[in-house]
Amino acid sequence: KATVSVLNWPRGGSSSAAVQGLGMPTPLRVAGFGHPLLDISTHVDVQYIQKYNVAAGATMLATPDQMGVYEEICQRPDVEYVPGGATMNAIRVCRWLVGEGGGCSFVGALGKDEYGKTLESVLQQNGVDPLFEYNAETPTGTCACLIVGKERSLIANLGAALKFSMGHFNSPQVQKVINDTGIFYAAGFFLNTDAKMDAPLSLARHCAEENKIFSMNLSAPYLCHIFKDGWREVMPYIDFLFGNKNDALAYAEAQGWEETGDHLGVAYKLVKEEKANKKRGRVVIITHGSDPTVVATDDGIMEFETPTLNPDSIVDLNGAGDAFVGGFLSQLSQGKSLSQCIRAGQYSAQVIIRHHGCSFPDKHDFTPGV
């Protein structure tokens, strides 16, 4: 299970094999496709999450019995409104870390309301180019972030985020971004829109045909089960696959694999799944809190120790996985080594968990390497 170097992606050197051959200047543009959500965050006790039948640390779609949570938490004195949505979080962090030299875009769907205006404004303030489809009948999506101690439970009401259409995907402004971009990222939630599998598969096939980088995130155990067929369709096109240990194990269970208790085995099996673009092997990155980050490639598996962090400095864990992806992509876009990408991901995650939600200071103190 352990321990070989990634021969086709050297730890040293100024560029990775992953971005060579794209014919684009670095840093490559990064574009995210996903659900824009406004996080409504509050601290609660265990009894409160039990009342709404959600487990600590869980991510789920709101059921009819849970819809009352949004109005209820908006009345709480400590309520905070923080831009959210997994892909949008990652793209904001990527732009923050890559700095003025890099270009980032986000594509999704909003309602024509104040929440939508807030999300669009934050993206612009963060230097991310927004390309939104607007829906007058459906409100902007929201996510109830229920924080117990430092753990968070997420209940998403996707709203207008579900209304993403192929009409918007094929619009001239979105197609221009697609043509100009070298790295694409979508959380697993993007499998769930009105465009169904047409949008992710169209994007994935474009990347394979043009030798661009297509990355996704398993995102949540329930997505691995509900969209198990969709994952099988899109997996051949994925160059970089992210997820946490629970996501990886859920994927194996949903696909009927034998490795349902071994996340290292699952990671390596995911690497070996069919690949459409033969010019680039698949890289699978699995995180699990403060445990080592697992990276699987065609050459085997490596583990990267997570830097020690004082537990007293942790505010909440909301957005940690998204921030990891954003940090990773910020260095991938510049052709940095695998170890540098992992280091940036771990750094970004540790910044985010020391703030409320996916928020960060104006300036970072990450030290670039090779």
Side-chain angles (χ1 to χ4, degrees):
K1 293 179 185 177
T3 62
V4 296
S5 62
V6 183
L7 301 179
N8 63 350
W9 192 353
R11 286 174 178 268
S14 60
S15 64
S16 73
V19 301
Q20 293 172 0
L22 268 69
M24 293 180 169
T26 56
L28 299 175
R29 287 195 63 88
V30 180
F33 286 68
H35 292 166
L37 304 176
L38 186 68
D39 286 352
I40 307 173
S41 179
T42 184
H43 288 79
V44 299
D45 55 25
V46 173
Q47 289 71 30
Y48 192 88
I49 63 171
Q50 290 174 343
K51 168 185 171 181
Y52 282 103
N53 196 28
V54 56
T59 299
M60 62 188 301
L61 294 178
T63 65
D65 291 342
Q66 294 169 325
M67 293 303 291
V69 70
Y70 302 98
E71 182 177 355
E72 194 170 281
I73 64 175
C74 286
Q75 309 306 316
R76 295 174 70 92
D78 71 333
V79 66
E80 290 190 82
Y81 299 88
V82 182
T87 301
M88 198 165 80
N89 287 344
I91 295 301
R92 289 173 57 229
V93 171
C94 178
R95 179 63 178 79
W96 172 65
L97 209 60
V98 78
E100 293 297 328
C104 292
S105 304
F106 178 82
V107 185
L110 293 175
K112 285 189 173 181
D113 50 31
E114 290 303 313
Y115 283 175
K117 291 177 183 177
T118 297
L119 292 179
E120 187 162 11
S121 174
V122 167
L123 281 182
Q124 292 169 336
Q125 291 169 21
N126 292 156
V128 176
D129 298 327
L131 291 97
F132 285 121
E133 179 174 10
Y134 300 95
N135 190 285
E137 288 77 37
T138 310
T140 294
T142 53
C143 183
C145 303
L146 308 179
I147 302 168
V148 180
K150 294 173 181 178
E151 186 59 271
R152 92 292 183 269
S153 301
L154 306 178
I155 307 175
N157 178 20
L158 299 177
L162 285 173
K163 301 300 181 180
F164 184 88
S165 69
M166 285 305 293
H168 186 56
F169 183 91
N170 290 321
S171 66
Q173 61 268 36
V174 173
Q175 286 298 306
K176 183 179 188 310
V177 165
I178 291 173
N179 290 330
D180 292 346
T181 296
I183 298 175
F184 297 87
Y185 174 68
F189 305 104
F190 191 56
L191 303 183
N192 183 25
T193 71
D194 283 359
K196 302 189 184 300
M197 289 301 297
D198 291 343
L201 285 174
S202 294
L203 190 61
R205 288 167 181 149
H206 167 83
C207 290
E209 291 165 2
E210 300 296 328
N211 193 30
K212 295 180 177 181
I213 295 171
F214 183 61
S215 57
M216 288 196 71
N217 198 315
L218 295 174
S219 296
Y222 80 87
L223 289 171
C224 297
H225 287 277
I226 294 176
F227 295 101
K228 64 179 182 179
D229 295 333
W231 278 115
R232 277 200 297 269
E233 285 188 84
V234 77
M235 190 60 68
Y237 301 97
I238 298 176
D239 299 306
F240 290 83
L241 180 66
F242 300 89
N244 66 32
K245 179 179 177 180
N246 294 334
D247 301 335
L249 297 179
Y251 187 90
E253 181 181 11
Q255 298 298 327
W257 293 357
E258 294 180 356
E259 299 86 347
T260 53
D262 173 18
H263 69 290
L264 299 182
V266 173
Y268 194 62
K269 186 161 185 172
L270 282 164
V271 167
K272 294 300 184 179
E273 288 287 275
E274 178 189 358
K275 189 74 167 49
N277 181 3
K278 308 299 185 185
K279 298 177 182 178
R280 181 182 298 112
R282 181 177 296 117
V283 179
V284 177
I285 304 101
I286 304 296
T287 60
H288 188 53
S290 60
D291 288 356
T293 301
V294 172
V295 180
T297 73
D298 281 327
D299 297 310
I301 292 175
M302 292 183 294
E303 292 183 297
F304 292 80
E305 293 294 327
T306 299
T308 302
L309 183 67
N310 182 355
D312 293 337
S313 68
I314 298 174
V315 175
D316 70 61
L317 301 178
N318 189 23
D322 305 333
F324 179 94
V325 173
F328 187 102
L329 295 179
S330 77
Q331 304 306 294
L332 180 63
S333 73
Q334 299 173 74
K336 301 296 185 179
S337 65
L338 173 58
S339 58
Q340 171 81 344
C341 293
I342 296 294
R343 192 166 71 87
Q346 293 173 336
Y347 165 84
S348 300
Q350 291 193 339
V351 169
I352 291 303
I353 64 178
R354 285 177 282 173
H355 295 78
H356 289 291
C358 190
S359 58
F360 39 81
D362 291 339
K363 301 290 184 181
H364 66 78
D365 58 1
F366 180 72
T367 305
V370 294

